[in-house]
């Protein structure tokens, strides 16, 4: 029986191979991703029956084997037809994909460029490497060395020498401190009264009521009002440089926070603009009281006069500002408090100062 099964299998393979053409076997293996189920056929091993005459008759399984052979030959012929149809469909799909890719590439190449939105604010400013300086600035910046630290007297004389604009420039001081203002115990905000003034006329407005209304007028306030002045400010009135309020008016002034806050005009006790002694506050701001605070990077910017001031007056104002920053040192500041200090005019280059000499500086008795 084993020999008979092997013979029938070889006959089946020979027949199937003769019905497959060579060109049907050349396509890539990806097309034959499906696997036809192998036909499971069983051989019924019925024993041979011998008659009484000694003649041997064939068993029933011989007829079954012939029937299975005919069905198998029909299956393989159908399989070859399916393979040929799959090859043709794969070729058509490949051609369609090539055409779509070509059309997409042409569309991308011919598509018009989308205009970009114009930049606004700080993003519109040119980069540092692309900025150009005026001829005036390029000439005067050669009068000082960039990385050199100067003494206070020499620095102020250089600043006055480098001021060459048609208007009177303001003298500015910039102090870099070792603080991080994002922490409450390292924030710095205070005021300083410059002995020689700021050189600017300050317009003071006062919000008060009752008896203090007349006191503010007699002290020299430019504007005095109560609820009527609050309504004017809500409507956009901003013709003043400082706004002083009495403590009893702060409940009503709170509604002006969104208007005055961004402009730095909101009354605050730390700035000396919320006080019961209104005449004294008016006098101090008229004479040259300046408010300062540390920015997000821990740098304090203070104007300390006009360039047209004498060198001695500028030195006195500068030392008053430095001592105020030193005396108002935040509690959370640790390590070296002073990192660097610079002075400059409004339109001039900066001049680096020697911190140790500035802190130990002692003005002459004549100043």
């Amino acid at each position: 029986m084993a020999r008979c099964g092997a013979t029938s299998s070889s006959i089946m393979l020979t027949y199937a191979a003769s019905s497959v053409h060579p060109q049907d076997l050349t396509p890539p293996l990806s097309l034959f991703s499906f696997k036809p189920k192998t036909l499971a056929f069983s051989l019924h091993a019925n024993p041979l029956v011998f008659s009484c005459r000694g003649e041997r008759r064939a068993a029933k399984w011989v007829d079954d084997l012939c029937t299975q052979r005919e069905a198998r030959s029909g299956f393989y012929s159908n399989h070859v037809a399916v393979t040929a149809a799959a090859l043709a469909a794969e070729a058509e799909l490949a051609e369609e994909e090539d055409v779509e890719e070509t059309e997409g590439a042409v569309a991308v190449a011919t598509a018009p460029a989308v205009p970009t939105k114009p930049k606004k604010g700080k993003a519109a400013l040119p980069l540092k490497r692309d900025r150009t300086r005026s001829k005036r600035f390029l000439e005067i910046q050669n009068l000082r060395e960039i990385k050199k630290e100067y003494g206070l007297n020499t620095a102020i004389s250089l600043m006055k020498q480098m001021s060459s604009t048609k208007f009177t420039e303001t003298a500015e001081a910039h102090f870099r401190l070792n603080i991080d203002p994002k922490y409450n115990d390292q924030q710095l905000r205070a005021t300083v009264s410059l002995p020689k003034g700021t050189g600017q006329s300050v317009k003071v407005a006062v919000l008060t009521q009752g008896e203090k209304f007349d006191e503010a007028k007699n002290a020299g306030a430019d504007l005095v009002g109560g609820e009527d002045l609050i309504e004017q400010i809500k409507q956009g009135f901003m013709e003043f440089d400082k706004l002083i309020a009495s403590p009893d008016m702060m409940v009503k002034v709170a509604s002006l926070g969104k208007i005055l806050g961004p402009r730095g005009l909101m009354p605050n006790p730390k700035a000396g603009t919320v006080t019961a002694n209104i005449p004294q506050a008016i006098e101090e701001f008229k004479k040259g009281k300046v408010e300062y605070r540390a920015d997000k990077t821990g740098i304090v910017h203070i104007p300390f006069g006009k360039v047209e001031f004498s060198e001695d007056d500028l030195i006195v104002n500068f030392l008053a500002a430095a001592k105020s920053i030193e005396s108002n040192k935040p509690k959370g500041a640790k390590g070296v408090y002073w990192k660097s200090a610079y002075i400059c005019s409004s339109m001039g280059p900066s001049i680096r100062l020697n911190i140790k000499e500035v802190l130990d500086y002692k003005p002459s008795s004549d100043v």
Side-chain angles (χ1 to χ4, degrees):
M1 294 178 65
R3 182 180 302 174
C4 182
T7 306
S8 62
S9 300
S10 61
I11 293 172
M12 177 187 67
L13 294 175
T14 304
Y15 179 78
S18 62
S19 61
V20 178
H21 299 283
Q23 60 270 22
D24 296 336
L25 300 177
T26 55
L29 296 176
S30 61
L31 297 177
F32 300 99
S33 58
F34 61 91
K35 295 181 179 180
K37 294 183 179 180
T38 57
L39 291 177
F41 56 91
S42 59
L43 299 177
H44 301 279
N46 296 329
L48 298 176
V49 180
F50 296 90
S51 62
C52 58
R53 295 180 181 181
E55 295 178 357
R56 186 175 63 180
R57 292 184 299 179
K60 182 181 179 180
W61 64 271
V62 176
D63 297 333
D64 295 341
L65 181 61
C66 295
T67 304
Q68 291 176 2
R69 184 181 301 170
E70 293 176 359
R72 193 178 297 112
S73 62
F75 168 78
Y76 280 105
S77 61
N78 293 335
H79 175 63
V80 172
V82 171
T83 302
L87 287 173
E90 185 74 14
E92 292 179 0
L93 290 175
E95 292 179 359
E96 291 179 358
E97 290 179 357
D98 294 340
V99 172
E100 291 179 357
E101 291 179 358
T102 306
E103 292 178 353
V106 173
V108 171
T110 58
V114 178
T116 57
K117 295 182 179 179
K119 297 181 179 180
K120 298 180 181 180
K122 293 184 178 180
L125 296 176
L127 299 176
K128 190 174 182 180
R129 64 174 180 269
D130 299 330
R131 297 176 187 171
T132 57
R133 295 288 189 177
S134 63
K135 292 182 179 179
R136 180 196 66 84
F137 188 92
L138 295 175
E139 291 176 358
I140 62 177
Q141 73 172 352
N142 295 327
L143 298 176
R144 59 94 171 95
E145 297 180 15
I146 297 176
K147 296 183 179 181
K148 183 179 178 180
E149 295 182 350
Y150 291 89
L152 184 57
N153 290 331
T154 306
I156 288 181
S157 62
L158 279 174
M159 181 185 66
K160 291 176 67 66
Q161 184 180 355
M162 288 189 292
S163 177
S164 59
T165 56
K166 296 180 181 180
F167 61 93
T168 303
E169 299 182 54
T170 301
E172 302 175 359
H174 307 274
F175 303 97
R176 185 170 176 234
L177 308 177
N178 187 22
I179 59 175
D180 191 354
K182 71 180 181 179
Y183 300 105
N184 293 331
D185 60 348
Q186 297 188 36
Q187 293 179 355
L188 176 61
R189 181 176 183 179
T191 58
V192 56
S193 295
L194 300 178
K196 303 300 180 179
T198 59
Q200 299 176 351
S201 59
V202 181
K203 194 172 183 179
V204 179
V206 178
L207 286 171
T208 186
Q209 58 186 356
E211 297 178 357
K212 295 180 181 179
F213 196 91
D214 296 331
E215 291 180 3
K217 280 187 175 181
N218 297 331
D222 299 289
L223 293 171
V224 182
E227 296 182 0
D228 55 341
L229 183 56
I230 292 176
E231 292 298 328
Q232 292 180 15
I233 293 173
K234 288 182 178 179
Q235 294 176 4
F237 179 78
M238 290 291 171
E239 296 181 4
F240 52 86
D241 301 316
K242 289 291 178 181
L243 181 63
I244 302 174
S246 57
D248 56 350
M249 289 292 295
M250 286 307 297
V251 177
K252 300 177 181 179
V253 176
S255 61
L256 302 176
K258 294 183 179 180
I259 301 174
L260 300 177
R263 295 174 172 83
L265 297 174
M266 186 68 181
N268 192 310
K270 293 183 178 180
T273 51
V274 178
T275 177
N277 193 352
I278 293 179
Q280 182 181 355
I282 295 173
E283 184 181 0
E284 289 176 351
F285 282 107
K286 287 285 187 179
K287 286 185 176 180
K289 190 175 184 179
V290 178
E291 179 187 358
Y292 63 87
R293 68 171 67 186
D295 61 12
K296 294 181 180 179
T297 58
I299 301 176
V300 178
H301 313 274
I302 301 179
F304 63 99
K306 294 290 185 178
V307 177
E308 62 182 4
F309 285 11
S310 64
E311 293 185 8
D312 294 338
D313 292 347
L314 290 174
I315 290 174
V316 171
N317 283 350
F318 180 86
L319 293 177
K323 290 179 180 179
S324 177
I325 295 174
E326 180 69 26
S327 61
N328 290 285
K329 180 179 178 180
K331 296 180 180 179
K334 299 179 181 180
V336 179
Y337 183 51
W338 299 86
K339 283 189 172 182
S340 61
Y342 292 83
I343 62 171
C344 66
S345 59
S346 300
M347 304 296 291
S350 61
I351 303 170
R352 187 167 184 172
L353 300 176
N354 190 320
I355 293 293
K356 294 182 179 180
E357 292 184 7
V358 170
L359 297 178
D360 298 337
Y361 184 85
K362 295 182 179 180
S364 59
S365 58
D366 298 337
V367 178

